[in-house]
């Protein structure tokens, strides 16, 4: 019971970035003393920190472990996955980036034929293996639990021989100035290599990623084929995408 509550509180704080103690008491229906004890336990995990009157996230969203990120904005991610799946045609060879949003595309490909999925994401490999209509190619490498993906020299070497029709990419942050950004050097290098090899590039990112910037830029927004998100982006993004002939897909 307590572990479940702790995980829920952690996910809630990460999704909101900064939350007051009063709000946490109201949302989770517990006393201030209980919330304070829970926050002490959660602070030891290293992803949130107590501040005056509340709690805030520590570091960037990309540093949050995959099991936590997977449960953030899950309804929005599923909607993005459905919209992205509509871009996949029979016979396509697609790359699925590591991330908690890109994997959602797979469950909407049941009607496609002869689709090959290339990935370095362990979660994507596991999900793709459930579908008989998909061919799966793993890039391999050294596993990183933080990103739930494989990286390393062997990953780059295998990627160098791949032909990719459509790349479905994730990003820690998205901005007009920095483009698509990531927190991890090796991950960013793989993303950059995929972008160079793909005929079409699709960014799958929910609206919480907009106007955020991480340390390493791996793709400029003008290089996109389409931006797939959960809701209508701000006007400055719509204007930019229109000027650069980039399609935008969203649900609301």
């Amino acid at each position: 019971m307590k572990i479940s509550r702790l995980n829920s509180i952690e996910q809630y704080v990460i999704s909101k970035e900064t939350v007051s103690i009063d709000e946490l008491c109201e949302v989770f229906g517990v006393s201030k003393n209980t919330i304070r004890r829970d926050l002490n336990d959660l602070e030891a995990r290293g992803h949130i920190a107590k501040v005056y009157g509340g709690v805030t996230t520590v570091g960037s969203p990309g540093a949050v472990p995959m099991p936590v990120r997977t449960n953030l904005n899950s309804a929005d991610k599923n909607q993005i996955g459905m919209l992205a799946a509509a871009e996949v045609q029979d016979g396509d060879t697609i790359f699925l980036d590591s991330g908690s949003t890109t994997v959602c595309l797979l469950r909407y490909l049941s009607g496609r034929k002869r689709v090959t999925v290339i990935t370095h994401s362990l979660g994507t490999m596991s999900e793709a293996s459930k579908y008989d209509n998909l061919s799966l190619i793993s890039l391999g490498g050294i596993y990183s639990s933080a990103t739930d993906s494989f990286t390393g020299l062997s990953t780059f070497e295998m990627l160098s021989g791949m032909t990719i029709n459509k790349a479905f990419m994730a990003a820690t942050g998205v901005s007009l100035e920095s483009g698509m950004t990531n927190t991890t050097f090796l991950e960013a290098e793989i993303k950059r290599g995929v972008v160079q090899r793909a005929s079409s590039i699709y960014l799958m990112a929910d609206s919480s990623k907009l106007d955020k910037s991480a340390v390493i830029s791996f793709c400029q927004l003008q290089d996109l084929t389409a931006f797939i998100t959960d809701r209508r982006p701000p006007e400055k993004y719509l204007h930019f995408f229109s000027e650069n002939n980039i399609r935008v897909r969203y649900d609301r």
Side-chain angles (χ1 to χ4, degrees):
M1 179 71 175
K2 181 180 179 180
I3 293 297
S4 177
R5 186 178 69 248
L6 288 176
N7 291 338
S8 296
I9 292 172
E10 184 175 45
Q11 292 165 14
Y12 185 82
V13 172
I14 291 171
S15 69
K16 296 287 187 177
E17 295 189 355
T18 300
V19 185
S20 69
I21 287 178
D22 288 340
E23 181 178 346
L24 291 175
C25 290
E26 181 178 350
V27 170
F28 294 96
V30 294
S31 67
K32 287 187 176 181
N33 285 337
T34 298
I35 283 294
R36 290 192 179 100
R37 287 195 296 269
D38 287 347
L39 293 180
N40 287 335
D41 292 338
L42 288 174
E43 194 170 33
R45 296 184 180 182
H47 306 134
I48 66 173
K50 291 184 292 183
V51 294
Y52 182 77
V55 63
T56 188
T57 55
V58 173
S60 64
V64 178
M66 184 60 71
V68 175
R69 277 189 280 153
T70 298
N71 291 317
L72 298 176
N73 305 323
S74 58
D76 292 337
K77 291 174 181 178
N78 280 321
Q79 183 63 36
I80 293 170
M82 185 172 68
L83 292 172
E87 302 289 336
V88 180
Q89 306 298 320
D90 291 349
D92 275 344
T93 297
I94 67 174
F95 175 85
L96 285 190
D97 200 3
S98 63
S100 57
T101 302
T102 48
V103 69
C104 295
L105 180 154
L106 291 170
R107 66 195 61 170
Y108 299 104
L109 293 181
S110 58
R112 305 300 190 279
K113 300 175 182 178
R114 305 182 311 283
V115 172
T116 299
V117 176
I118 301 171
T119 189
H120 66 309
S121 162
L122 181 59
T124 299
M125 294 175 203
S126 177
E127 182 68 18
S129 69
K130 300 175 183 178
Y131 306 98
D132 294 336
N133 62 315
L134 303 179
S135 298
L136 176 62
I137 298 176
S138 165
L139 294 180
I142 300 171
Y143 179 70
S144 167
S145 59
T147 59
D148 193 39
S149 64
F150 295 87
T151 59
L153 181 59
S154 61
T155 316
F156 291 111
E157 289 177 344
M158 193 163 184
L159 178 62
S160 66
M162 296 291 175
T163 299
I164 302 168
N165 297 126
K166 298 170 182 176
F168 293 88
M169 308 300 296
T172 300
V174 179
S175 70
L176 295 179
E177 297 75 22
S178 301
M180 297 154 63
T181 55
N182 188 257
T183 57
T184 308
F185 176 76
L186 288 177
E187 274 283 316
E189 284 298 299
I190 292 173
K191 292 172 185 285
R192 192 175 290 118
V194 169
V195 165
Q196 292 172 353
R197 289 166 176 79
S199 301
S200 300
I201 305 163
Y202 300 82
L203 171 59
M204 298 173 62
D206 64 70
S207 54
S208 69
K209 303 290 183 67
L210 295 179
D211 290 331
K212 303 287 177 63
S213 184
V215 180
I216 307 165
S217 176
F218 63 88
C219 180
Q220 295 303 310
L221 295 187
Q222 58 262 34
D223 295 328
L224 289 175
T225 301
F227 174 45
I228 306 170
T229 188
D230 55 327
R231 51 182 56 86
R232 181 184 174 91
E235 287 300 323
K236 63 179 180 179
Y237 285 94
L238 291 174
H239 179 71
F240 176 88
F241 291 138
S242 176
E243 280 196 331
N244 288 275
N245 296 314
I246 297 165
R247 290 186 291 109
V248 182
R249 299 201 63 180
Y250 56 91
D251 183 50
R252 56 188 185 278

